[in-house]
Amino acid sequence: MRRSTFRAAATATALSVTLLAGLSPAQADDAVGGPVLDSAEGCQGPGLVCVTAHSDSPLTRITAHFFPLDAPADAPEAGSTEDFTQYSGTDATSGTWRAPVHLADLGDYRVTVDLQDASGATLTGALSPYDLAYRTVVTIPDLSVTPGTPDYLHQQVTVSGTALAEDPRHPGTRTPAAGVPVLIDTWRGRLNATTAADGRFGTTFVPTDTTMYVSATPLASDDYPGAIDVQTPKQFVQTFQAPVRFTASTHTLNLRQGATGTVTGRAEIQTTAGWQPLPHSTISVLGLDADGRPDYVVGETTTDGQGAYTLHVSSYTPAPTAELVVGEPYMPFQQQATEPFSLHVAYTTHLDMNASLNDDASLAVSGWVYFEDPDAKWPAKPTVTLQYSQDGKSGWKNAATLPIKIRYNKPLFQETFARTFTTPDSTAYWRARFNGNPDLATSTTKPVHLYRYATRVTGFHGTPDPVRRNQSISFAGTLQYKNGTTWKPLGGQAPTLYFRPRGSSTYHYVTELDSDRHGHLIGMVTAERDGTWALALSRQTGDHYLRSPRVTAYVDVR
């Protein structure tokens, strides 16, 4: 793009002149304090030349001579002017003088200047460090940018104007410049337009910032290849940011590690037509730093055409202190709106339990708990609750609360619990439940079915009775277990037989009998002396049967 000053049009030639003549002011030979030329160049306006000079005495005569740039050094001048009037300066000893230039052909010209002051001192043929750009000037005098304050309902800004060309050979006569490319600078971007036959152009854009400066510059074209293009003054555009509001289904999410939460709502914007849906606007959850400033994105979505949104928030990025935000910073037509928010993540815990029923129906429980994430922390007094249910699916009841012994207090290290206690129900499903907190998720073991049936022996007796010494005694009776309210045969068990001789108070272990599938006792012993035989299910009863009450039978041995 050509720079929009007359001086800049001749910069390249001025550099070459500088190499020959330097940039020192030209001064009259052998004249101390005589006229000095500072510069001669085009003025702001076509067909004008400005000479800047100074002298100890008032300058009385200025003549400028013009030579085509491509002409040899001894070529005749293309024209000259001495019709100078002072343009700036307090007196005639220094300042800038301006004069019209009338040349036959457009182009760039070298400029030499003759100066004379009131003392008679003269300076002849001083070469200006700048050239004169004697070219058509294209300007846009009527740039229009509307509206100057666009808002949400009127976002599109229209830029228009007319490009006019003025030939320096005919100053004061401007004609529409057709087919001229126009570069429109919006400060944050550039647009292009082309003038029509009447010199008019126009285009539109939507501001991307709240504050913009818009200007237009005509560019070189086939019809005006050497024209001087003048940039328009900048026009200020300030957008109006409308207030925004929104709703949220929740301002707090407490998620287990690995889970996803959902926030729904609707955003609105206030316009001259009232509050209306805000479509296609960003909805974000932003975590805040220690100073309460947005620091990181937790989740993000966009409102639909009716301003509604569904925001999925992952537990991957905890944000105990955060905010819900509608919009982004520096949006040109809407303000940001915020609401407080909190995303707390309970980190996964791992729990295991071993449980068994003893012969006396007491329950022995042990287990461990641990977590993996280094950000997790144990509560002050962590506990595990033991629960039981009849079907293992519903109706869970608390049986006991067990403290967890914290020994390591580190991720991946198992912390243990253990206890033995009398159960309220010897036939039930059991599970352990870690009582979590906001930092650690609650976890529960799979149900374990533990049951111990009551047992008994009915109809116990020995035959024959009486019996001869050294003959066999057979024992009869039925081994049973209680399922609910019903006694059922208990087969395949080994009840223990004891003997207490007559006159003694102590039973002695003898042997173990068997029972068939109907629970009938199987076994015999050799009769040796009188005494009482006792039977009980007490040894190696397995996981599911309690020991039975002891039954007795007296056998007379003869």
Side-chain angles (χ1 to χ4, degrees):
M1 181 182 72
R2 183 178 291 108
R3 296 169 61 189
S4 56
T5 63
F6 289 93
R7 175 184 295 180
T11 299
T13 303
L15 290 176
S16 63
V17 172
T18 300
L19 295 176
L20 296 175
L23 291 178
S24 301
Q27 186 172 346
D29 293 338
D30 302 325
V32 178
V36 177
L37 174 67
D38 296 313
S39 66
E41 58 189 311
C43 295
Q44 289 293 330
L48 294 175
V49 65
C50 285
V51 171
T52 301
H54 64 275
S55 183
D56 290 343
S57 299
L59 292 170
T60 58
R61 183 178 179 182
I62 301 175
T63 304
H65 306 273
F66 308 102
F67 303 85
L69 283 183
D70 55 356
D74 57 352
E77 65 182 30
S80 64
T81 181
E82 56 183 20
D83 190 14
F84 282 93
T85 57
Q86 190 161 6
Y87 178 65
S88 67
T90 57
D91 57 39
T93 60
S94 66
T96 298
W97 285 260
R98 184 170 63 183
V101 178
H102 302 285
L103 300 173
D105 298 317
L106 299 176
D108 294 332
Y109 292 84
R110 293 195 306 271
V111 183
T112 64
V113 179
D114 301 334
L115 299 174
Q116 184 176 353
D117 63 16
S119 69
T122 61
L123 174 67
T124 303
L127 179 64
S128 170
Y130 304 110
D131 299 327
L132 172 68
Y134 193 69
R135 307 176 191 171
T136 299
V137 177
V138 180
T139 58
I140 302 172
D142 60 346
L143 183 67
S144 172
V145 181
T146 57
T149 307
D151 59 28
Y152 181 77
L153 295 180
H154 311 90
Q155 298 185 15
Q156 187 167 277
V157 174
T158 299
V159 181
S160 61
T162 306
L164 299 178
E166 185 174 356
D167 191 320
R169 296 167 298 185
H170 309 288
T173 302
R174 296 191 296 181
T175 59
V180 173
V182 179
L183 178 65
I184 300 166
D185 190 347
T186 65
W187 195 38
R188 293 296 186 182
R190 292 181 174 182
L191 305 172
N192 295 291
T194 302
T195 60
D198 59 357
R200 295 286 299 168
F201 69 91
T203 189
T204 61
F205 72 97
V206 174
T208 57
D209 208 339
T210 57
T211 302
M212 309 184 81
Y213 294 91
V214 180
S215 62
T217 304
L219 304 180
S221 64
D222 293 340
D223 291 336
Y224 305 96
I228 297 174
D229 306 322
V230 182
Q231 185 183 53
T232 66
K234 295 178 180 179
Q235 296 201 23
F236 182 67
V237 175
Q238 175 71 58
T239 65
F240 175 75
Q241 294 175 290
V244 170
R245 68 184 183 185
F246 69 101
T247 61
S249 59
T250 181
H251 290 77
T252 302
L253 284 177
N254 293 309
L255 300 180
R256 291 175 63 99
Q257 186 177 8
T260 298
T262 301
V263 182
T264 60
R266 187 170 183 266
E268 295 180 313
I269 188 168
Q270 189 178 40
T271 69
T272 54
W275 288 97
Q276 64 183 59
L278 177 61
H280 315 304
S281 188
T282 302
I283 305 287
S284 305
V285 175
L286 302 180
L288 305 181
D289 62 15
D291 297 324
R293 294 173 298 191
D295 188 35
Y296 54 94
V297 177
V298 179
E300 192 170 85
T301 190
T302 304
T303 58
D304 64 15
Q306 299 302 313
Y309 68 91
T310 299
L311 175 61
H312 299 292
V313 182
S314 170
S315 61
Y316 180 77
T317 307
T321 304
E323 62 184 11
L324 277 166
V325 182
V326 176
E328 300 175 1
Y330 313 113
M331 296 189 72
F333 301 109
Q334 69 179 71
Q335 299 174 8
Q336 277 188 308
T338 63
E339 292 284 346
F341 193 78
S342 176
L343 170 61
H344 211 104
V345 176
Y347 294 100
T348 300
T349 57
H350 302 273
L351 172 67
D352 199 8
M353 176 192 74
N354 297 312
S356 61
L357 281 169
N358 299 323
D359 280 352
D360 60 357
S362 63
L363 178 64
V365 175
S366 63
W368 43 259
V369 187
Y370 75 92
F371 55 81
E372 299 179 13
D373 200 290
D375 292 331
K377 294 179 176 57
W378 287 106
K381 296 180 178 180
T383 59
V384 166
T385 300
L386 295 180
Q387 299 177 318
Y388 67 96
S389 165
Q390 292 302 313
D391 59 6
K393 299 178 181 178
S394 60
W396 289 97
K397 299 178 181 179
N398 295 339
T401 299
L402 281 61
I404 299 173
K405 298 179 180 179
I406 303 299
R407 295 182 298 172
Y408 306 104
N409 201 20
K410 296 179 180 180
L412 299 175
F413 279 77
Q414 297 175 355
E415 309 290 359
T416 60
F417 59 91
R419 185 175 175 183
T420 299
F421 62 98
T422 301
T423 70
D425 196 331
S426 61
T427 301
Y429 289 84
W430 290 87
R431 71 182 186 184
R433 180 179 179 85
F434 170 66
N435 305 314
N437 65 354
D439 290 323
L440 294 176
T442 298
S443 55
T444 306
T445 62
K446 293 182 179 180
V448 177
H449 191 197
L450 299 179
Y451 51 93
R452 285 291 184 93
Y453 298 124
T455 61
R456 71 180 181 181
V457 179
T458 62
F460 176 67
H461 63 280
T463 59
D465 181 20
V467 62
R468 292 178 182 270
R469 187 182 302 274
N470 295 324
Q471 287 189 342
S472 297
I473 302 174
S474 297
F475 294 98
T478 303
L479 186 60
Q480 297 177 326
Y481 74 97
K482 189 176 185 180
N483 187 359
T485 59
T486 303
W487 287 97
K488 296 184 179 182
L490 177 58
Q493 299 298 314
T496 304
L497 183 66
Y498 303 89
F499 179 67
R500 186 184 70 188
R502 187 176 64 177
S504 173
S505 61
T506 303
Y507 281 99
H508 302 280
Y509 169 79
V510 177
T511 188
E512 291 177 352
L513 304 182
D514 293 323
S515 62
D516 63 17
R517 63 188 182 90
H518 298 292
H520 298 152
L521 296 177
I522 301 172
M524 61 180 62
V525 297
T526 300
E528 294 180 355
R529 51 183 171 170
D530 296 345
T532 301
W533 297 91
L535 188 72
L537 186 65
S538 58
R539 296 182 62 194
Q540 299 178 354
T541 56
D543 294 336
H544 303 313
Y545 302 101
L546 298 174
R547 61 190 178 189
S548 67
R550 184 178 294 176
V551 293
T552 61
Y554 186 85
V555 177
D556 184 17
V557 178
R558 297 179 181 177

